[in-house]
Each structure stands twice: as C-alpha cells, then as structure tokens.
Amino acid sequence: MAAQRRRPERTPVYVEAGTKKVFACALEWPGWCRAARTEDGALEALVAARPRYAVVAAQAGLTFPEAKVGFEIVARVSGSAMTDFGVPGEPAPSDARPMPSAETERCVALVSAAWTAFDRVVSGAPAELRKGPRGGGRDRDAIVDHVLAAEAAYGRKLGVRVRQPARDDDDAVAAFRDAILEGFRALSAAASRPEKGWAPRYAARRITWHILDHAWEIEDRGIPAPS
C-alpha cells in the first residue's frame, strides 16, 4: 500500500471584524494582515499579498508557506472603531501567551526585514505619488515621516521612549530602530508589560503591518496611472 501523503498544515489566521472593515491576520507571520469589507474579501486580500510578504520572509531568512497551503481560522474577535478606520487594533486571544526567546528573535528578524523592504521601496519611489481616486494620499516623504512618528508612539507601548528622528539622518534612524527592537526584546522577556502597553505578539504584528502597509502603498502609488 502506498504511503499516505501528509496534507500540508494550514496557516493559522485570526479575523477581526468591525462594522465596516474586516482584517485577516496570519498569527505566525507578523505583518501579514489585510483588510476588506467582508471576511472572505479579507482572506482574498491576504492571499493576494502572499508574494509581497514572501519577499520579507526570505529577507528574514525564514521559509514561507507555499501558495497551495491554505488558511485555518482559529479565532474571531470583535473589532472597534480602529478596525473600521483601517487598523488591526484588537489582539488575538493567543497573544497573551508568554513569548519564548526563539520566537522573539524570529519577530525581530521580520520587523527588521520589513524595514529593509520599506527602505528599498522608498529609495526607488518618486517624491510625488499618484493620488487616489478622490485626489487624496500623502506623498513619499510625508509617508516616511508618518511611519517614523507612529513608531515613536509604538515605542511607548513597548516601554521605551524614543524620539522621532529626521528621515534623512540614516544613523539616527538606525539607532531609533535598534532602540525599538531592544524594547521589544525587553518586553518579551518581562513578566509584565507597561501600563496600557502591548503584548509582544500584538506589538510585532502591529509594527510590521504598519511598515508593510505603507511600503506597499508607496509601491502601488509610485506606478504612473494608465493614460
């Protein structure tokens, strides 16, 4: 009798549903989160983002699931006004578990790889980006400033205070990012987290999602509109 083929394990996903938007987030891959109006749409968007996220995983030195590996929804959580605004704002139930050091370093590698992807996209993008259908959207440098400002706020959720650096000061940006990663490591190792702070897994997901969401925005809006 031929050996029975083992079916590939599906990627665990949790769904955060607001009243206007729904996020689907891969639990084991911080930042691989996409949103749509419905759960099915969010899962489809997650599939569509797979090739882009695979580049980040490879940069981090990690083996990414093959395209044929499907998803398994392991949790559903109620969203909030943040969800409807377009932010994955609610942690998954499993985020409360302690984080082993190996998982911490895996998250650090993915956050670092997301920054590398962001920097690469920024360096190749025009200063003025294509506007949205209603004429909105930040240009390249404004997006970079926005990401840095958000990360300064995220640092406080990790228990560290970091001042937003100037976007063109490479040494200051590198030191800023190092401080965030060290804060994340300290948070992961601590028995408790700061008041109003984030659980480490949620922190990794939120920070990496924000970096990649804007990297992919710049990438998309840097392409000239069809004539």
Side-chain angles (χ1 to χ4, degrees):
M1 182 182 293
Q4 186 176 7
R5 292 186 178 180
R6 183 179 178 183
R7 294 179 63 184
E9 295 183 2
R10 293 188 292 170
T11 299
V13 168
Y14 88 99
V15 172
E16 175 185 333
T19 59
K20 298 178 181 178
K21 287 189 178 180
V22 179
F23 273 92
C25 300
L27 284 169
E28 298 173 355
W29 296 97
W32 190 17
C33 301
R34 303 313 291 160
R37 292 183 179 274
T38 65
E39 181 176 302
D40 287 345
L43 291 169
E44 290 172 4
L46 203 61
V47 171
R50 181 190 295 273
R52 283 170 151 173
Y53 194 92
V55 174
V56 178
Q59 177 70 40
L62 300 173
T63 302
F64 194 59
E66 298 178 6
K68 63 183 179 181
V69 177
F71 300 125
E72 178 183 5
I73 297 175
V74 297
R76 289 181 172 88
V77 299
S78 297
S80 64
M82 289 184 65
T83 314
D84 291 334
F85 184 70
V87 174
E90 300 299 322
S94 58
D95 288 349
R97 294 183 292 111
M99 179 177 279
S101 59
E103 186 179 354
T104 297
E105 292 308 313
R106 183 177 181 275
C107 288
V108 165
L110 285 166
V111 174
S112 298
W115 276 325
T116 298
F118 182 81
D119 291 345
R120 183 173 59 248
V121 169
V122 168
S123 67
E128 292 187 8
L129 301 178
R130 180 164 48 89
K131 301 302 180 185
R134 297 182 181 178
R138 302 179 182 93
D139 284 325
R140 182 197 62 198
D141 291 348
I143 292 176
V144 175
D145 287 339
H146 165 72
V147 170
L148 289 170
E151 289 168 353
Y154 297 162
R156 292 191 288 275
K157 296 293 187 179
L158 304 176
V160 296
R161 292 192 176 275
V162 283
R163 179 175 296 180
Q164 179 182 344
R167 63 175 177 272
D168 56 356
D169 188 335
D170 292 343
D171 289 341
V173 170
F176 172 80
R177 290 172 173 176
D178 285 345
I180 289 174
L181 294 180
E182 286 309 307
F184 177 76
R185 288 186 173 103
L187 178 68
S188 301
S192 60
R193 60 178 183 262
E195 185 179 359
K196 297 183 180 180
W198 285 342
R201 287 184 181 83
Y202 175 75
R205 183 182 309 119
R206 176 72 174 273
I207 293 169
T208 313
W209 164 79
H210 194 247
I211 297 165
L212 294 178
D213 192 56
H214 286 297
W216 298 342
E217 177 195 357
I218 293 172
E219 201 168 47
D220 291 342
R221 292 177 53 224
I223 300 171
S227 56

